[in-house]
Amino acid sequence: ETGVTQSPTHLIKTRGQQVTLRCSSQSGHNTVSWYQQALGQGPQFIFQYYREEENGRGNFPPRFSGLQFPNYSSELNVNALELDDSALYLCASSRRTGGMTTDTQYFGPGTRLTVL
Amino acid sequence: QKEVEQNSGPLSVPEGAIASLNCTYSDRGSQSFFWYRQYSGKSPELIMSIYSNGDKEDGRFTAQLNKASQYVSLLIRDSQPSDSATYLCAVNPGGGSNYKLTFGKGTLLTVNP
Protein backbone atom coordinates (compact mmCIF):
# COMPACT_ATOMS: atom_id res chain seq x y z
CA GLU A 1 0.00 0.00 0.00
CA THR A 2 1.37 3.39 -1.03
CA GLY A 3 -1.01 5.61 0.93
CA VAL A 4 -2.27 7.18 -2.30
CA THR A 5 -6.03 6.93 -2.62
CA GLN A 6 -8.30 7.47 -5.61
CA SER A 7 -12.03 7.68 -6.07
CA PRO A 8 -14.18 6.35 -7.51
CA THR A 9 -12.85 2.87 -8.27
CA HIS A 10 -14.99 2.39 -11.34
CA LEU A 11 -17.08 4.76 -13.43
CA ILE A 12 -19.32 4.36 -16.46
CA LYS A 13 -20.19 7.41 -18.54
CA THR A 14 -21.65 8.08 -21.98
CA ARG A 15 -20.08 10.02 -24.81
CA GLY A 16 -20.22 13.79 -24.35
CA GLN A 17 -20.54 13.67 -20.58
CA GLN A 18 -18.07 15.14 -18.09
CA VAL A 19 -16.22 13.30 -15.33
CA THR A 20 -14.23 14.24 -12.22
CA LEU A 21 -11.71 11.87 -10.69
CA ARG A 22 -10.12 12.44 -7.30
CA CYS A 23 -6.77 11.64 -5.71
CA SER A 24 -5.29 12.05 -2.25
CA SER A 25 -1.52 12.06 -2.09
CA GLN A 26 0.66 10.12 0.31
CA SER A 27 1.54 11.83 3.59
CA GLY A 28 4.59 14.07 3.12
CA HIS A 29 4.14 14.32 -0.64
CA ASN A 30 3.33 17.63 -2.34
CA THR A 31 3.17 16.69 -6.02
CA VAL A 32 0.51 14.80 -7.94
CA SER A 33 0.83 13.45 -11.47
CA TRP A 34 -1.95 11.95 -13.56
CA TYR A 35 -1.53 9.19 -16.13
CA GLN A 36 -3.86 7.44 -18.56
CA GLN A 37 -3.33 3.74 -19.19
CA ALA A 38 -5.19 2.17 -22.10
CA LEU A 39 -5.53 -1.60 -22.23
CA GLY A 40 -2.23 -3.26 -23.16
CA GLN A 41 -0.27 -0.01 -23.02
CA GLY A 42 2.03 1.67 -20.56
CA PRO A 43 0.79 4.71 -18.62
CA GLN A 44 0.80 7.97 -20.57
CA PHE A 45 1.57 11.21 -18.72
CA ILE A 46 -1.33 13.69 -18.67
CA PHE A 47 -0.09 16.45 -16.34
CA GLN A 48 1.49 17.18 -12.98
CA TYR A 49 0.48 19.56 -10.21
CA TYR A 50 2.87 21.17 -7.78
CA ARG A 51 2.04 24.08 -5.46
CA GLU A 52 -1.50 24.11 -6.85
CA GLU A 53 -0.29 24.86 -10.38
CA GLU A 54 0.11 22.72 -13.48
CA ASN A 55 3.80 21.95 -13.63
CA GLY A 56 3.95 20.09 -16.94
CA ARG A 57 1.61 18.57 -19.47
CA GLY A 58 1.68 15.64 -21.86
CA ASN A 59 0.07 15.35 -25.27
CA PHE A 60 -3.55 15.60 -24.14
CA PRO A 61 -6.21 18.08 -25.34
CA PRO A 62 -7.47 20.97 -23.20
CA ARG A 63 -10.63 19.07 -22.32
CA PHE A 64 -8.39 17.28 -19.83
CA SER A 65 -7.93 19.67 -16.91
CA GLY A 66 -7.02 19.45 -13.27
CA LEU A 67 -6.75 21.08 -9.89
CA GLN A 68 -4.60 20.72 -6.83
CA PHE A 69 -5.83 21.80 -3.42
CA PRO A 70 -3.91 23.23 -0.44
CA ASN A 71 -3.85 19.78 1.18
CA TYR A 72 -2.11 18.48 -2.00
CA SER A 73 -5.08 16.38 -3.10
CA SER A 74 -6.01 16.68 -6.76
CA GLU A 75 -8.80 16.33 -9.28
CA LEU A 76 -8.73 15.33 -12.92
CA ASN A 77 -11.62 16.63 -15.03
CA VAL A 78 -12.43 15.38 -18.50
CA ASN A 79 -15.06 17.18 -20.57
CA ALA A 80 -16.88 15.99 -23.69
CA LEU A 81 -15.97 12.35 -23.11
CA GLU A 82 -15.01 10.27 -26.13
CA LEU A 83 -14.98 6.48 -26.50
CA ASP A 84 -11.16 6.52 -26.59
CA ASP A 85 -11.11 8.04 -23.11
CA SER A 86 -11.97 4.61 -21.73
CA ALA A 87 -8.90 3.67 -19.69
CA LEU A 88 -7.41 3.25 -16.25
CA TYR A 89 -6.61 6.67 -14.79
CA LEU A 90 -3.71 6.65 -12.39
CA CYS A 91 -2.67 9.23 -9.88
CA ALA A 92 0.95 9.25 -8.72
CA SER A 93 2.19 11.00 -5.62
CA SER A 94 5.74 12.31 -5.09
CA ARG A 95 7.76 14.82 -3.13
CA ARG A 96 9.45 17.78 -4.74
CA THR A 97 11.53 20.38 -2.95
CA GLY A 98 12.44 23.68 -4.59
CA GLY A 99 13.83 23.20 -8.08
CA MET A 100 14.88 19.58 -7.62
CA THR A 101 13.77 16.85 -9.94
CA THR A 102 10.55 15.18 -8.89
CA ASP A 103 11.29 12.25 -6.64
CA THR A 104 10.05 8.73 -7.13
CA GLN A 105 6.38 8.47 -8.01
CA TYR A 106 4.03 6.14 -6.16
CA PHE A 107 0.76 5.14 -7.74
CA GLY A 108 -2.73 4.94 -6.33
CA PRO A 109 -5.10 2.07 -7.16
CA GLY A 110 -6.54 3.87 -10.18
CA THR A 111 -10.00 4.67 -11.51
CA ARG A 112 -11.36 2.51 -14.31
CA LEU A 113 -13.38 4.75 -16.65
CA THR A 114 -15.64 3.22 -19.29
CA VAL A 115 -17.21 5.50 -21.90
CA LEU A 116 -20.18 4.06 -23.78
CA GLN B 1 9.56 11.25 -30.11
CA LYS B 2 11.26 10.22 -26.90
CA GLU B 3 10.56 6.56 -26.39
CA VAL B 4 11.03 3.67 -24.05
CA GLU B 5 11.07 0.25 -25.68
CA GLN B 6 10.45 -3.12 -24.06
CA ASN B 7 9.87 -6.60 -25.43
CA SER B 8 6.16 -7.20 -24.96
CA GLY B 9 6.65 -10.87 -24.24
CA PRO B 10 5.22 -12.97 -22.93
CA LEU B 11 8.39 -14.13 -21.23
CA SER B 12 7.92 -17.54 -19.70
CA VAL B 13 10.38 -18.99 -17.16
CA PRO B 14 10.22 -21.99 -14.83
CA GLU B 15 9.98 -21.50 -11.10
CA GLY B 16 13.43 -20.95 -9.56
CA ALA B 17 14.98 -19.64 -12.78
CA ILE B 18 16.35 -16.16 -13.49
CA ALA B 19 14.05 -13.84 -15.41
CA SER B 20 15.73 -11.11 -17.44
CA LEU B 21 13.73 -8.08 -18.54
CA ASN B 22 15.18 -5.47 -20.86
CA CYS B 23 14.46 -1.85 -21.73
CA THR B 24 16.03 0.69 -24.07
CA TYR B 25 15.40 4.43 -24.13
CA SER B 26 15.97 7.07 -26.75
CA ASP B 27 16.66 10.24 -24.70
CA ARG B 28 20.38 10.25 -23.93
CA GLY B 29 19.85 12.93 -21.26
CA SER B 30 17.61 10.69 -19.14
CA GLN B 31 18.60 10.67 -15.49
CA SER B 32 16.34 8.38 -13.47
CA PHE B 33 15.10 4.90 -14.23
CA PHE B 34 12.42 2.84 -12.57
CA TRP B 35 10.93 -0.63 -12.73
CA TYR B 36 7.29 -1.09 -11.79
CA ARG B 37 5.37 -4.34 -11.45
CA GLN B 38 1.71 -4.39 -12.45
CA TYR B 39 -0.59 -7.29 -11.70
CA SER B 40 -3.59 -7.72 -13.96
CA GLY B 41 -6.28 -5.19 -13.09
CA LYS B 42 -4.08 -3.41 -10.54
CA SER B 43 -1.96 -0.27 -10.52
CA PRO B 44 1.84 -0.16 -10.98
CA GLU B 45 3.93 -0.92 -7.90
CA LEU B 46 7.49 0.39 -7.62
CA ILE B 47 10.13 -2.35 -7.47
CA MET B 48 13.43 -0.61 -8.13
CA SER B 49 14.92 2.77 -8.96
CA ILE B 50 18.41 3.29 -10.40
CA TYR B 51 20.28 6.49 -11.18
CA SER B 52 23.93 5.53 -11.81
CA ASN B 53 25.64 3.14 -14.19
CA GLY B 54 26.13 -0.35 -12.83
CA ASP B 55 24.09 -2.76 -10.76
CA LYS B 56 21.72 -2.18 -7.87
CA GLU B 57 20.49 -5.15 -5.87
CA ASP B 58 17.44 -5.43 -3.63
CA GLY B 59 16.61 -8.92 -2.44
CA ARG B 60 15.90 -11.12 -5.47
CA PHE B 61 15.87 -8.12 -7.80
CA THR B 62 18.85 -6.54 -9.56
CA ALA B 63 18.57 -3.48 -11.78
CA GLN B 64 21.35 -2.79 -14.27
CA LEU B 65 21.96 0.53 -16.03
CA ASN B 66 24.23 1.33 -18.96
CA LYS B 67 23.77 4.96 -19.98
CA ALA B 68 26.27 4.72 -22.86
CA SER B 69 24.15 1.98 -24.45
CA GLN B 70 20.88 3.59 -23.23
CA TYR B 71 19.89 0.29 -21.73
CA VAL B 72 18.36 -0.73 -18.41
CA SER B 73 17.49 -4.23 -17.28
CA LEU B 74 15.86 -6.05 -14.38
CA LEU B 75 16.93 -9.49 -13.23
CA ILE B 76 14.68 -11.55 -10.99
CA ARG B 77 16.48 -14.43 -9.30
CA ASP B 78 14.71 -17.53 -7.98
CA SER B 79 11.54 -16.55 -9.84
CA GLN B 80 8.28 -17.41 -8.10
CA PRO B 81 4.77 -17.84 -9.54
CA SER B 82 3.83 -14.69 -7.58
CA ASP B 83 6.27 -12.76 -9.79
CA SER B 84 3.95 -13.36 -12.76
CA ALA B 85 2.92 -9.85 -13.81
CA THR B 86 3.62 -7.12 -16.35
CA TYR B 87 6.88 -5.26 -15.70
CA LEU B 88 6.98 -1.63 -16.75
CA CYS B 89 10.18 0.28 -17.41
CA ALA B 90 9.89 4.01 -16.72
CA VAL B 91 12.34 6.80 -17.49
CA ASN B 92 12.54 10.36 -16.18
CA PRO B 93 13.90 12.38 -19.09
CA GLY B 94 15.49 15.02 -16.85
CA GLY B 95 16.18 18.56 -17.92
CA GLY B 96 13.10 20.57 -18.82
CA SER B 97 10.92 17.46 -18.70
CA ASN B 98 12.01 16.24 -15.30
CA TYR B 99 8.48 16.24 -13.98
CA LYS B 100 7.21 13.18 -15.80
CA LEU B 101 7.83 9.50 -16.37
CA THR B 102 7.83 7.95 -19.83
CA PHE B 103 6.81 4.30 -19.76
CA GLY B 104 7.37 1.38 -22.04
CA LYS B 105 4.44 -0.87 -22.94
CA GLY B 106 5.60 -3.45 -20.43
CA THR B 107 6.77 -7.05 -20.59
CA LEU B 108 4.43 -9.81 -19.45
CA LEU B 109 6.28 -12.35 -17.30
CA THR B 110 4.86 -15.78 -16.57
CA VAL B 111 6.59 -18.00 -14.00
CA ASN B 112 5.52 -21.63 -14.34
CA PRO B 113 5.39 -23.85 -11.23
Side-chain angles (χ1 to χ4, degrees), chain A residues 35 37 41 48 104-105 108, chain B residues 36 38 43 46 99 101 104-105:
Chain A
Y35 292 82
Q37 187 176 24
Q41 303 294 316
Q48 184 182 86
T104 305
Q105 298 186 14
Chain B
Y36 288 85
Q38 187 173 26
S43 65
L46 180 70
Y99 45 83
L101 295 177
K105 291 185 178 181

Side-chain angles (χ1 to χ4, degrees), chain B residues 2 4 8 78 80 85 96 100 105:
Chain B
K2 298 178 180 178
V4 176
S8 60
D78 187 24
Q80 301 297 310
K100 67 177 183 180
K105 291 185 178 181

Side-chain angles (χ1 to χ4, degrees), chain A residues 33 35 37 40-43 45 48 55-57 88 90 96 99-109, chain B residues 31-32 34 36 38 41-46 49 51 88 92 94-95 98-106:
Chain A
S33 304
Y35 292 82
Q37 187 176 24
Q41 303 294 316
F45 176 76
Q48 184 182 86
N55 185 53
R57 189 178 186 93
L88 179 67
L90 296 161
R96 178 171 177 165
M100 291 181 64
T101 300
T102 301
D103 204 346
T104 305
Q105 298 186 14
Y106 298 89
F107 285 89
Chain B
Q31 299 181 355
S32 310
F34 305 88
Y36 288 85
Q38 187 173 26
K42 301 296 186 181
S43 65
E45 171 192 8
L46 180 70
S49 59
Y51 304 92
L88 296 164
N92 183 318
N98 66 357
Y99 45 83
K100 67 177 183 180
L101 295 177
T102 301
F103 284 84
K105 291 185 178 181

Side-chain angles (χ1 to χ4, degrees), chain B residues 5-90:
Chain B
E5 300 286 343
Q6 296 181 252
N7 290 328
S8 60
L11 173 65
S12 183
V13 300
E15 184 174 354
I18 296 175
S20 178
L21 304 161
N22 304 315
C23 171
T24 58
Y25 58 95
S26 62
D27 187 354
R28 187 169 290 276
S30 298
Q31 299 181 355
S32 310
F33 307 85
F34 305 88
W35 283 99
Y36 288 85
R37 176 175 63 196
Q38 187 173 26
Y39 293 113
S40 180
K42 301 296 186 181
S43 65
E45 171 192 8
L46 180 70
I47 298 176
M48 295 280 288
S49 59
I50 187 166
Y51 304 92
S52 303
N53 280 329
D55 294 359
K56 179 181 178 182
E57 186 174 320
D58 183 1
R60 296 186 296 112
F61 299 97
T62 299
Q64 299 175 318
L65 175 61
N66 184 326
K67 289 186 177 180
S69 300
Q70 296 175 236
Y71 175 91
V72 59
S73 66
L74 179 70
L75 300 178
I76 306 175
R77 291 181 301 281
D78 187 24
S79 294
Q80 301 297 310
S82 59
D83 294 327
S84 298
T86 295
Y87 288 80
L88 296 164
C89 174

Side-chain angles (χ1 to χ4, degrees), chain A residues 58-70:
Chain A
N59 189 26
F60 281 82
R63 59 189 185 85
F64 285 77
S65 63
L67 286 171
Q68 186 180 34
F69 301 99

